[in-house]
Amino acid sequence: RAPLLLSRCLLKMVKGNIIVPEEILNFCCNGLQGSTSPPRAGEPGEREEAALGAMASPSPARNPTEVQMSQLVLPCHTNHRGELSTGQLLKWIDTAACLSAERHAGCPCVTASMDDIYFEHTISVGQVVNIKAKVNRAFNSSMEVGIQVSYEDLCSGKHCSICKAYATFVAQGPLGSKVRLKPLTPQTEEEKIEYSIAAERRRMRLVHKDTLKDLLTRSPQETELETRDGSGAVPAERTRVESVELVLPPHANHQGNTFGGQIMAWMENVATIAASRLCHAHPTLRAIEMFHFRGPSQVGDRLVLKAIVNNAFKNSMEVGVSAEAHGQETSVGRRHINSAFMTFVVLDQEGRPRTLPMVAPEPGDGERRYREASARKKIRLDRKYVVSCKQTEVPLSVPWDQSNKVYLSYNNVSALKMLVAKANWALAREKEKVRMYTLEEDKFLSFRIEMSVCIPAGRAFSLLSNLRRRHEWDSHYMSAELVQKVDDDDMIYHVVSQKFRHENKPQDFVILASRRKPCSKGDPYVVAFRSVTLPTHPARAEFTRGETLCSGFCIWPESEEMSKVAYYNQAMPGYLNYVTTNVAGLSSDICSTFEACEKFLLKNKEDLISRLQDF
């Protein structure tokens, strides 16, 4: 029984976070293996071991990549106001996300980037932070991890959301080589939606720099500086902060590199100091724009952290912060490790944002950062209110603007992918090869109509994404004019439809058509439609202006020559009577239209004009 007694003591020591020498661990393990007298059923040792086994075994119903972390906020985690430090929260977020990524990869992973984070509430001492992280999708060597953060008040039982974030991790093999990841198979409806939209978020990350550059190119160079009243403005140089940190073993992760969460925490610290120098108060961090890790650092590196207020708006300010690393003090070369932009506010006693003093940028780089901060503010608002909001909260016809094209296109495609991934589609009608499904929700009735067609998926994609040819198979279309070619994947059309029964005049639509090729095997070709407004095409007296919120095609390859073609539509009120008449079997117009679509595809599948470059 000696090994058993020792194991019980060992268990208590582990619970108490006491370091146990390796010799004792080995002795205990060897003793237990050689013991022929197991503890009697129901003994404390057995119950303790069973409890440990229960804690170590994941729930069978849980996503295998899901990691849950709960942290009690202690005084050592807080700032001067007794609120959880954002830097500490970033450490926990990065740790949970990394563990989730490594569960899927089965090898070490490093943080490549962290998307925008909007902090909705602060967290106080004594409350519990609950973090849930799981892999949404794996690409070749990178994966997106979704993180949800909430807090729990143990006294009242109240739960509240803090933020939602998306991080990109890269799997690393020996000597830092990239590892090809196994694909992830989503199971639940929520996982299927996140899996589908992850490809769109990845696309948006890749074009972020181009979006900023394009916006700055088209913006007036001097407008902001000329209209700003310089009286009382604080020179930006006064807010500059430079600090150095020596990377020690406690700052390293299990791979020997500087822990990404620690770097983010140091960056948040110097950014807070810079913000305080402008407002002479204690600021609150409200948002962080994408962290981009450009390279690793190791134990022994000196990290030089720099921060400066780039621009101060009426109630918020943007602070730019960067991290550079070098080896010994005599080393001249510095490596750019990370950069980010943080938005701060200063709250009064009632919790309302205070008015901030203006910033006077220094000539040259200071003025460039000043203008870029204004552009980033617009992009942040676009991302937050066009991309992040629920589909039902988005106005039907969003004003089209060149500066927010990336986010409107994202919203267009992701809305269709969310509709496709929903469960509870019910088969309503079946007419020969055509099948019609419906999805009944609180606010919308959606329908899906599909069939298999003998045509390569890429060719069907090319034909169906060109609205100028839709009148050839859809009798409801009178004409479709290409108004603007935004890029190779996005077009804006002015569509005129035939008159419905009991209508005095035809409808017209201004439609954004966004198309996507498959990101990986198993993904469909996507053609998404939604209404936008253009100043050049206002509503006219001879038409009734119609709107479409979410519709489009998904095309899945079934073989080299066969494709499953499906059309989805979230029925608008003006279109509802037509849909319900078809769903109820009182009309076969929708099925007949789709049969005409099949004939159109078969007739034109060898047509060279339908190639993608002629779209």
Side-chain angles (χ1 to χ4, degrees):
R1 294 180 59 85
L4 176 61
L5 293 173
L6 183 57
S7 68
R8 293 180 188 173
C9 296
L10 197 62
L11 177 64
K12 294 178 181 179
M13 294 172 73
V14 170
K15 287 182 177 179
N17 295 322
I18 300 174
I19 298 175
V20 182
E22 185 177 356
E23 293 80 6
I24 297 180
L25 285 171
N26 293 334
F27 173 76
C28 179
C29 294
N30 295 334
L32 283 174
Q33 290 172 355
S35 174
T36 56
S37 303
R40 293 188 300 273
E43 280 196 343
E46 187 179 58
R47 291 196 299 269
E48 289 168 344
E49 290 170 12
L52 281 178
M55 287 190 292
S57 302
S59 171
R62 183 182 297 175
N63 183 313
T65 72
E66 183 176 306
V67 170
Q68 294 187 5
M69 176 186 290
S70 294
Q71 296 282 357
L72 180 64
V73 179
L74 302 175
C76 60
H77 300 140
T78 63
N79 56 25
H80 62 284
R81 292 190 298 267
E83 298 168 351
L84 174 64
S85 161
T86 308
Q88 180 62 59
L89 179 59
L90 290 171
K91 290 183 186 179
W92 290 339
I93 288 175
D94 192 54
T95 300
C98 183
L99 292 174
S100 174
E102 292 185 347
R103 273 193 179 180
H104 180 71
C107 63
C109 296
V110 295
T111 313
S113 67
M114 185 87 70
D115 284 7
D116 296 4
I117 306 176
Y118 298 94
F119 299 100
E120 300 175 20
H121 301 282
T122 57
I123 309 171
S124 302
V125 171
Q127 294 178 332
V128 174
V129 178
N130 294 313
I131 302 173
K132 182 189 295 185
K134 60 183 177 181
V135 176
N136 289 332
R137 182 162 185 164
F139 300 98
N140 290 330
S141 60
S142 67
M143 68 200 95
E144 180 191 272
V145 180
I147 308 113
Q148 292 181 325
V149 183
S150 63
Y151 80 77
E152 174 186 357
D153 191 301
L154 296 176
C155 297
S156 65
K158 177 182 177 182
H159 291 256
C160 193
S161 174
I162 297 299
C163 65
K164 187 174 183 178
Y166 296 99
T168 301
F169 282 81
V170 175
Q172 288 194 330
L175 302 177
S177 60
K178 290 186 177 181
V179 175
R180 188 171 183 85
L181 296 169
K182 60 185 177 183
L184 182 73
T185 304
Q187 300 296 329
T188 66
E189 178 181 335
E190 178 188 357
E191 290 173 1
K192 290 176 182 177
I193 290 174
E194 292 289 358
Y195 176 91
S196 183
I197 301 177
E200 278 303 296
R201 283 191 289 262
R202 181 171 182 253
R203 183 177 187 270
M204 192 170 64
R205 290 181 200 111
L206 296 175
V207 301
H208 175 68
K209 285 186 178 180
D210 293 335
T211 303
L212 179 63
K213 187 184 298 183
D214 183 60
L215 181 57
L216 288 170
T217 301
R218 290 180 295 99
S219 300
Q221 291 285 332
E222 303 296 336
T223 302
E224 288 294 327
L225 294 178
E226 288 180 357
T227 57
R228 177 177 51 81
D229 181 8
S231 59
V234 177
E237 267 310 298
R238 292 186 187 174
T239 69
R240 186 182 293 276
V241 179
E242 181 170 325
S243 179
V244 64
E245 297 283 353
L246 175 61
V247 180
L248 301 173
H251 303 140
N253 58 22
H254 52 297
Q255 304 161 41
N257 295 325
T258 313
F259 176 41
Q262 179 63 68
I263 295 176
M264 290 190 282
W266 281 334
M267 294 173 71
E268 185 267 340
N269 179 59
V270 294
T272 301
I273 296 172
S276 301
R277 288 181 175 176
L278 175 72
C279 60
H280 298 293
H282 296 293
T284 298
L285 183 61
R286 276 287 180 252
I288 301 176
E289 188 174 304
M290 299 179 183
F291 281 105
H292 292 280
F293 286 91
R294 291 172 168 80
S297 68
Q298 293 80 30
V299 172
D301 277 347
R302 281 72 171 166
L303 253 61
V304 179
L305 303 140
K306 299 179 181 179
I308 190 171
V309 176
N310 291 331
N311 200 339
F313 308 99
K314 184 176 180 181
N315 300 118
S316 65
M317 71 185 94
E318 182 197 271
V319 178
V321 56
S322 66
E324 298 174 339
H326 63 85
Q328 299 297 325
E329 288 293 345
T330 56
S331 178
V332 178
R334 290 184 178 182
R335 310 186 308 276
H336 188 183
I337 300 299
N338 200 340
S339 60
F341 302 94
M342 304 186 184
T343 301
F344 289 86
V345 296
V346 178
L347 304 177
D348 61 18
Q349 293 181 346
E350 284 74 35
R352 296 171 300 190
R354 281 172 35 187
T355 301
L356 299 174
M358 289 179 293
V359 167
E362 58 182 348
D365 283 345
E367 292 176 349
R368 174 186 56 80
R369 290 194 299 266
Y370 185 95
R371 293 184 65 248
E372 288 177 351
S374 297
R376 277 187 293 269
K377 181 178 181 181
K378 173 178 170 47
I379 291 174
R380 278 193 292 270
L381 291 172
D382 286 339
R383 274 204 294 260
K384 185 176 181 181
Y385 291 104
V386 176
V387 174
S388 302
C389 55
K390 296 179 181 178
Q391 187 63 29
T392 55
E393 297 171 351
V394 180
L396 298 188
S397 291
V398 178
W400 173 262
D401 185 87
Q402 187 72 13
S403 64
N404 65 2
K405 64 181 181 181
V406 173
Y407 313 111
L408 287 177
S409 176
Y410 169 94
N411 184 269
N412 189 18
V413 175
S414 61
L416 178 60
K417 287 186 173 182
M418 289 175 66
L419 184 62
V420 172
K422 286 183 179 293
N424 302 321
W425 285 96
L427 181 63
R429 294 189 63 187
E430 192 167 7
K431 182 184 177 184
E432 297 179 355
K433 295 190 298 180
V434 179
R435 297 170 298 279
M436 187 175 185
Y437 299 80
T438 57
L439 177 66
E440 298 183 31
E441 299 177 293
D442 292 339
K443 295 186 177 182
F444 296 105
L445 171 66
S446 303
F447 74 88
R448 170 179 111 220
I449 188 162
E450 67 181 31
M451 64 180 170
S452 294
V453 185
C454 184
I455 185 174
R459 184 58 50 83
F461 170 66
S462 175
L463 288 164
L464 296 177
S465 60
N466 189 349
L467 285 183
R468 288 176 294 182
R469 302 194 65 178
R470 185 155 172 171
H471 69 278
E472 297 180 33
W473 59 271
D474 190 342
S475 60
H476 302 95
Y477 271 57
M478 185 183 300
S479 65
E481 171 198 2
L482 178 60
V483 175
Q484 183 178 341
K485 182 177 179 179
V486 181
D487 52 38
D488 289 340
D489 294 323
D490 297 280
M491 309 280 176
I492 300 178
Y493 293 89
H494 179 236
V495 175
V496 178
S497 71
Q498 303 283 357
K499 289 193 296 185
F500 279 98
R501 293 178 182 178
H502 312 299
E503 289 186 350
N504 297 325
K505 48 189 178 180
Q507 284 189 316
D508 74 330
F509 302 80
V510 179
I511 292 178
L512 169 65
S514 304
R515 63 183 204 166
R516 300 288 188 269
K517 294 181 181 179
C519 182
S520 57
K521 187 177 180 181
D523 285 356
Y525 290 86
V526 175
V527 186
F529 307 121
R530 71 153 300 143
S531 290
V532 294
T533 57
L534 280 177
T536 56
H537 286 71
R540 287 153 49 182
E542 62 266 34
F543 300 118
T544 300
R545 177 54 57 91
E547 293 180 309
T548 177
L549 177 60
C550 176
S551 62
F553 293 95
C554 283
I555 305 156
W556 286 269
E558 293 184 322
S559 67
E560 289 186 1
E561 293 296 326
M562 290 293 296
S563 304
K564 184 174 78 171
V565 180
Y567 175 74
Y568 294 79
N569 194 303
Q570 210 168 55
M572 300 305 300
Y575 193 53
L576 195 58
N577 181 58
Y578 172 74
V579 173
T580 54
T581 301
N582 279 266
V583 170
L586 301 177
S587 172
S588 297
D589 192 51
I590 293 180
C591 291
S592 299
T593 300
F594 216 57
E595 289 171 347
C597 177
E598 179 191 23
K599 294 177 181 178
F600 166 77
L601 293 174
L602 294 175
K603 177 183 176 182
N604 293 278
K605 69 177 183 178
E606 301 299 335
D607 188 356
L608 296 178
I609 302 176
S610 67
R611 291 187 182 276
L612 293 178
Q613 55 264 37
D614 293 328
F615 172 67

